[in-house]
Amino acid sequence: MSDQEYTPKSKAGKWFNDRLPLLTLGSHLSDYPTPKNLNYWWTFGGILTFCLLTQIITGIVLAMHYVAHADLAFASVEHIMRNVNYGWLIRYIHSNGASMFFLAVYIHIFRSMFYGSYKSPREVIWIIGLLIYLLMMATAFMGYVLPWGQMSFWGATVITSLFSAIPLIGESITTWLWGAYSVDNPTLNRFFSLHYLFPFLISGLVILHIWALHVPGNNNPIGIDLKKPSKDTVPFHPYITIKDAFALLLFMIIFSGFVFFSPNVLGHSDNYIPANPLVTPAHIVPEWYLLPFYAILRSVPDKLGGVILMFGSIFILFVLPWLDTSKVRSAVFRPMYRYFYWIFVIDVLLLGYMGAMPAEGIYLALARIGTIYYFLHFIVVLPVVGLLEKTDPVPMSISAPVLSSGADPALAKKDYDKI
Amino acid sequence: MDKEEKKVNRRDFLFTASYTVGAVGLGAVAWPLVHQMNPDKAQQALATTEVDISQIEPGKSITVLWRGKPVFLRRRTKEEIAEARSVSLNDLPDPQKDEERVKEGKDEWLVMVGVCTHLGCVPLKNKGDYKGWFCPCHGSHYDLSGRIRKGPAPTNMEIPKFEFVDNNTIKIG
Amino acid sequence: MIRFNSKRLIIVILTTLIFIKPLFSAESIDPIKVNWSFKELTGKFDRASLQRGFQVYKEVCASCHSMQYLSYRNLGEPGGPEFTLEEVKAIAASVEIEDGPDSQGEMFTRPGKPSDKFKSPYPNVEASTAANGGAYPPDMSVLVKARPGGADYMYSVLMGYEEPPAGMKLDDGVYYNKYMIGQKIKMASPLSEGIVEYSDGTEATMDQMAKDVTTFLAWAAEPELEERHRVGFKVIIYLMLLTILVYLSMKKIWSRVDSEI
């Protein structure tokens, strides 16, 4: 992995490093040649690591006080809020932290989709990333059940009931998931156990994700391959560490705004009503970060069809590297693709909005259009645009000035960052 | 040369300042994470308990729960007090006068944490060779002042902080 | 071809977000907006209002609505009504709390202590529902957080009792309320002019009592609010300071490299 031999400065360091080369690893990470033209959309990987750490630490602390029993869960959360020293703070950091985690992951994913970070040779990084995303959704879903409010209970009921749509074995699987004949105490207990486990699986995948990244190195806004190291790269520390720190601080200010001044605005008031199996809320909605998938699920009148399309909408992302036929990596040089990219973004936002609305009338119609377009983007638009579009000329290096003869002066270094 | 030095110093100051301010923040973040493990407000509210002693006859005792532990409240007879005070300090593995273990003017009332100082079992009352308490786990004997006389326990049973709210009520803790 | 850029995208997103506001179907009209003292970023509770609100809760609401997550000692803690220790002890002692079992295995009652939870008017949800015409009077510990519109909604419902519109038929025990979700409520108007005689002498108008008890309920749902605002203020100022320092450090470091940031 590393090109030069790193020798620790102290004797003790050398002794230890000979037995477990952690210091060599540290030096590799610190010296790691990173493209010098990375913009702020590249800071979200570091931000996501912070989010994962924050959720794990606050989660472990909450688990010291939370009681995973249907009769006591809601009360134990109130106990944390009212009695545990700084309990309210740790709880609100954890609940809002989940939202911030997803905000960051969506920006991170959309960055990759714009700059072609999923394209060869980074397909495995992309796939590992999607596995992390899937685990995040499962973790968040189970975590939301734990306070045992009305949305916890009914959201769990709706989503676990989907499995009964599987032909032949669906009912058995659902009962097996529940550990009972409906969402009940056994369900809550196992969700608590798995909710504690999954973040550590995510951590393992994150290590693989970064390892896989360090093989080809980071992508960059103009999508060209770089020699490492070169005058086009800078060592990760201190250049990227300080920039990530700056971006992280801005992120933390927004995070703090939610935690301290509006800690419930992203949630649903119904979840402050204790779970009642006999009363269904008027509108069952998941947390905002799951809304687009919820919209897709409800677009299809057939239950199994809805489930297939909902999971399909995530699984199609796995084959994105092979659906996109373009030889040019970054959308900076792909004017036709850019157009469709932004339409896709708006489509996802539209689906999210529809997911929060009742599944009827104009809302349902728009959700259906949004769902159809979502799949069209991957199955039709990407392959076709990649083949048909006339891309702009791609520079040879980051530091090289504007290309001569026929090149568009608008592609001078200054402009492409503004897109 | 001078300008270079000045530049370096200013740069170092900025970095030092950033690190320092950052470290302060990390400390501030660490505190709630540590403090949340301290007893919460509900626990703190139960840190004291008031006991009605009006129904206890001389020679009798009751046990109450305080901070999750048993507390023995024994109302001793005059004879029991005299006997406790007649013991020579040399005979005691953990020398302590009976007068030091009770409140002045309220000598009858022995209030102590009913936990054996050896390994934490709850001693049985009115048992043992010294007419006080006997711990069945490893054979420690306590006298009528709750002091260890024989057996592996190293110290006398603990006297918690307590006070008389009035003649009929003791507040422990 | 429209050239999309970040600015246009942000405008589209913001416009979309504005329309996300009506997240629930229009079965209820917007609640009355009140200028609560605890609403802004530096909001605090009005102590006197909290104490009066507690009196309203105790005399009007507590006979049906429990508040099971509150303890009497909360009434004396900072950030709330801040009754004195003596007042808190007296409030607690004025109720009989079930305790036990005693050494005979029997349950018994004793006067309340500050460490006790608020006594519930009914032993369980079923008893409460049965005693109230099949409609459970919800526990009010977090009720303000459990309703969209929060304190505004609570106040509006208390003030929203009116004659039903012409032609609307109401069953026995059902009342018309302009702001209640669904416009029907199974509780008769709990407040009426002068129903409580405030111990601090304030005139007990409907509006006054509604505001006081709502303030009390808002505190009950979020007793940590004042501390949260205080700490939040410090945290954000600190983060802004550190951001500036880190930003300057970043500029310094990157000045060594011939590139834009």
Side-chain angles (χ1 to χ4, degrees):
Chain A
M1 253 196 296
S2 77
D3 305 296
Q4 298 126 318
E5 282 305 313
Y6 167 75
T7 33
K9 292 190 210 70
S10 69
K11 277 185 79 178
K14 187 170 188 316
W15 180 91
F16 183 80
N17 201 54
D18 284 344
R19 289 151 179 74
L20 178 67
L22 279 183
L23 296 174
T24 305
L25 174 65
S27 134
H28 160 84
L29 293 172
S30 174
D31 297 339
Y32 186 68
T34 315
K36 68 179 179 185
N37 64 336
L38 296 186
N39 59 36
Y40 280 98
W41 302 117
W42 260 264
T43 56
F44 283 86
I47 287 172
L48 283 166
T49 312
F50 165 79
C51 287
L52 179 62
L53 275 171
T54 301
Q55 291 304 96
I56 288 177
I57 292 172
T58 54
I60 290 174
V61 164
L62 287 172
M64 293 183 180
H65 305 275
Y66 170 75
V67 179
H69 189 285
D71 299 339
L72 298 169
F74 191 92
S76 74
V77 173
E78 280 306 305
H79 165 73
I80 289 168
M81 294 293 292
R82 293 166 191 274
N83 293 324
V84 173
N85 303 317
Y86 292 108
W88 57 268
L89 176 62
I90 297 167
R91 193 272 176 112
Y92 278 148
I93 289 176
H94 197 76
S95 57
N96 286 283
S99 282
M100 297 304 289
F101 204 168
F102 277 94
L103 174 65
V105 94
Y106 285 135
I107 293 175
H108 186 72
I109 293 174
F110 277 102
R111 180 283 312 263
S112 304
M113 292 178 74
F114 186 86
Y115 291 105
S117 308
Y118 55 84
K119 291 163 94 49
S120 171
R122 296 183 179 87
E123 302 93 324
V124 171
I125 305 170
W126 170 256
I127 287 171
I128 296 176
L130 286 176
L131 291 173
I132 293 172
Y133 177 54
L134 274 173
L135 281 180
M136 274 175 66
M137 287 195 284
T139 309
F141 165 71
M142 292 189 293
Y144 192 66
V145 176
L146 302 181
W148 211 242
Q150 274 287 67
M151 274 312 169
S152 306
F153 179 88
W154 289 99
T157 301
V158 165
I159 297 303
T160 49
S161 297
L162 292 178
F163 287 88
S164 64
I166 300 171
L168 293 176
I169 52 173
E171 285 290 339
S172 314
I173 289 184
T174 307
T175 308
W176 173 77
L177 279 174
W178 284 338
Y181 301 102
S182 64
V183 168
D184 207 337
N185 195 48
T187 325
L188 176 61
N189 262 272
R190 61 192 56 182
F191 277 10
F192 182 50
S193 168
L194 296 176
H195 180 74
Y196 203 118
L197 167 69
F198 278 20
F200 296 101
L201 300 180
I202 291 174
S203 302
L205 283 176
V206 165
I207 291 174
L208 293 181
H209 190 67
I210 297 174
W211 186 359
L213 170 70
H214 280 212
V215 173
N218 298 69
N219 188 16
N220 64 83
I222 59 174
I224 59 173
D225 290 325
L226 296 176
K227 276 201 217 3
K228 302 183 315 290
S230 70
K231 61 173 164 26
D232 281 347
T233 67
V234 288
F236 193 82
H237 179 70
Y239 293 90
I240 307 299
T241 44
I242 195 76
K243 188 168 177 178
D244 276 357
F246 174 62
L248 176 61
L249 283 168
L250 293 175
F251 183 83
M252 283 169 75
I253 291 175
I254 297 173
F255 190 2
S256 301
F258 282 113
V259 166
F260 292 101
F261 297 103
S262 209
N264 292 299
V265 70
L266 297 170
H268 199 292
S269 55
D270 273 2
N271 224 31
Y272 278 104
I273 303 172
N276 186 345
L278 299 174
V279 174
T280 314
H283 304 288
I284 302 175
V285 263
E287 287 286 270
W288 69 267
Y289 40 80
L290 300 179
L291 288 174
F293 302 107
Y294 197 56
I296 293 174
L297 173 73
R298 296 185 310 175
S299 297
V300 187
D302 175 57
K303 190 169 167 190
L304 181 60
V307 173
I308 290 173
L309 274 196
M310 182 180 76
F311 284 115
S313 69
I314 303 168
F315 291 146
I316 200 155
L317 291 166
F318 279 83
V319 292
L320 172 62
W322 295 277
L323 290 171
D324 180 3
T325 52
S326 173
K327 300 272 185 298
V328 172
R329 205 176 266 143
S330 168
V332 169
F333 303 104
R334 303 180 57 190
M336 189 189 283
Y337 170 69
R338 259 202 318 276
Y339 179 68
F340 285 103
Y341 172 84
W342 291 119
I343 295 180
F344 178 73
V345 170
I346 291 171
D347 181 59
V348 172
L349 291 173
L350 174 79
L351 282 171
Y353 187 34
M354 294 304 129
M357 296 292 115
E360 54 199 28
I362 181 77
Y363 303 124
L364 183 58
L366 285 174
R368 287 183 169 154
I369 294 171
T371 302
I372 292 170
Y373 185 79
Y374 180 95
F375 285 98
L376 276 180
H377 173 86
F378 288 101
I379 301 173
V380 173
V381 171
L382 283 183
V384 168
V385 167
L387 294 171
L388 286 187
E389 112 186 292
K390 182 176 180 310
T391 57
D392 296 335
V394 178
M396 299 303 287
S397 78
I398 297 171
S399 308
V402 173
L403 294 175
S404 56
S405 69
D408 186 347
L411 286 174
K413 204 167 62 145
K414 290 200 182 332
D415 279 31
Y416 58 69
D417 277 74
K418 298 276 194 301
I419 291 167
Chain B
M1 235 337 235
D2 235 359
K3 206 163 167 224
E4 267 298 310
E5 268 180 35
K6 266 214 186 102
K7 263 179 114 178
V8 170
N9 286 340
R10 233 183 296 135
R11 183 212 308 165
D12 282 342
F13 172 71
L14 178 59
F15 295 161
T16 315
S18 302
Y19 278 129
T20 310
V21 174
V24 165
L26 276 173
V29 158
W31 172 240
L33 294 173
V34 169
H35 188 39
Q36 54 84 19
M37 280 172 71
N38 273 327
D40 59 57
K41 294 209 205 102
Q43 286 293 325
Q44 288 168 39
L46 296 173
T48 65
T49 202
E50 288 185 6
V51 186
D52 174 13
I53 54 174
S54 59
Q55 305 299 313
I56 307 174
E57 303 290 320
K60 295 271 185 274
S61 63
I62 64 167
T63 306
V64 298
L65 208 56
W66 170 73
R67 291 190 183 175
K69 292 174 287 214
V71 171
F72 300 151
L73 294 98
R74 189 189 178 92
R75 187 174 181 186
R76 306 176 304 171
T77 61
K78 293 224 176 345
E79 294 81 22
E80 289 171 343
I81 299 172
E83 192 166 341
R85 297 206 171 159
S86 67
V87 178
S88 156
L89 287 180
N90 292 330
D91 292 340
L92 296 171
D94 179 14
Q96 201 181 17
K97 287 213 198 112
D98 179 75
E99 290 86 333
E100 296 164 36
R101 292 173 62 77
V102 292
K103 292 263 185 273
E104 208 181 304
K106 301 264 188 204
D107 309 47
E108 328 169 78
W109 291 102
L110 182 63
V111 178
M112 52 191 192
V113 181
V115 171
C116 182
T117 58
H118 178 227
L119 289 175
C121 296
V122 180
L124 304 167
K125 66 180 182 211
N126 301 327
K127 292 219 169 12
D129 299 345
Y130 297 86
K131 304 202 187 102
W133 288 263
F134 172 71
C135 184
C137 290
H138 308 97
S140 295
H141 299 254
Y142 296 86
D143 66 14
L144 284 158
S145 186
R147 296 172 297 200
I148 181 67
R149 299 296 290 270
K150 189 165 78 172
T155 54
N156 305 329
M157 276 197 264
E158 184 195 332
I159 309 288
K161 172 168 173 265
F162 74 96
E163 64 180 19
F164 281 85
V165 175
D166 54 52
N167 282 337
N168 290 326
T169 320
I170 288 180
K171 181 170 102 165
I172 310 174
Chain C
M1 290 277 189
I2 305 167
R3 257 207 92 167
F4 275 80
N5 59 31
S6 325
K7 283 199 210 78
R8 282 193 210 156
L9 176 68
I10 289 168
I11 292 171
V12 170
I13 293 175
L14 282 176
T15 325
T16 316
L17 283 175
I18 289 167
F19 289 105
I20 275 183
K21 253 203 80 205
L23 272 177
F24 309 97
S25 60
E27 289 167 343
S28 56
I29 75 174
D30 280 343
I32 307 166
K33 297 251 178 303
V34 178
N35 240 3
W36 304 104
S37 66
F38 48 86
K39 266 309 176 201
E40 301 93 48
L41 299 183
T42 49
K44 284 190 177 28
F45 291 110
D46 178 335
R47 306 272 161 259
S49 181
L50 285 176
Q51 295 200 0
R52 288 193 300 270
F54 173 68
Q55 187 181 349
V56 175
Y57 165 73
K58 189 153 165 257
E59 294 179 17
V60 178
C61 324
S63 50
C64 300
H65 287 275
S66 57
M67 258 186 146
Q68 58 177 307
Y69 298 118
L70 266 74
S71 304
Y72 293 106
R73 59 177 168 84
N74 297 140
L75 295 170
E77 286 164 357
E82 292 180 7
F83 286 105
T84 64
L85 180 58
E86 293 314 312
E87 287 172 319
V88 170
K89 278 187 175 172
I91 292 168
S94 70
V95 290
E96 284 289 309
I97 301 286
E98 189 183 58
D99 201 350
D102 59 24
S103 49
Q104 310 304 319
E106 299 289 323
M107 304 302 281
F108 57 92
T109 63
R110 54 154 178 82
K113 295 187 281 204
S115 57
D116 289 322
K117 290 249 163 54
F118 274 30
K119 183 179 175 181
S120 290
Y122 302 99
N124 49 56
V125 171
E126 288 76 7
S128 176
T129 309
N132 287 284
Y136 168 61
D139 180 276
M140 301 216 281
S141 310
V142 287
L143 195 59
V144 167
K145 287 200 283 193
R147 298 286 183 273
D152 287 341
Y153 174 78
M154 216 60 63
Y155 171 81
S156 303
V157 167
L158 287 171
M159 301 294 286
Y161 285 90
E162 283 178 2
E163 282 303 313
M168 181 184 280
K169 204 177 167 300
L170 293 168
D171 292 335
D172 265 350
V174 179
Y175 305 86
Y176 175 78
N177 187 296
K178 196 165 143 199
Y179 294 99
M180 177 78 180
I181 298 173
Q183 277 73 56
K184 296 203 188 107
I185 185 171
K186 277 186 124 171
M187 171 178 72
S189 177
L191 298 177
S192 50
E193 293 286 323
I195 190 174
V196 162
E197 199 180 307
Y198 277 134
S199 48
D200 72 354
T202 313
E203 195 195 343
T205 61
M206 281 274 292
D207 180 69
Q208 183 68 51
M209 288 187 288
K211 290 221 170 81
D212 289 337
V213 79
T214 302
T215 302
F216 173 73
L217 291 179
W219 165 78
E222 296 189 289
E224 86 291 342
L225 183 139
E226 291 186 1
E227 191 189 357
R228 177 159 52 82
H229 285 177
R230 230 179 15 248
V231 175
F233 195 66
K234 286 190 209 152
V235 165
I236 291 189
I237 299 288
Y238 165 81
L239 284 175
M240 287 179 172
L241 167 68
L242 187 57
T243 303
I244 292 170
L245 283 174
V246 169
Y247 177 76
L248 293 172
S249 303
M250 178 175 72
K251 283 287 182 206
K252 264 244 134 58
I253 289 171
W254 276 86
S255 67
R256 305 176 202 160
V257 174
D258 175 34
S259 86
E260 274 187 324
I261 292 167

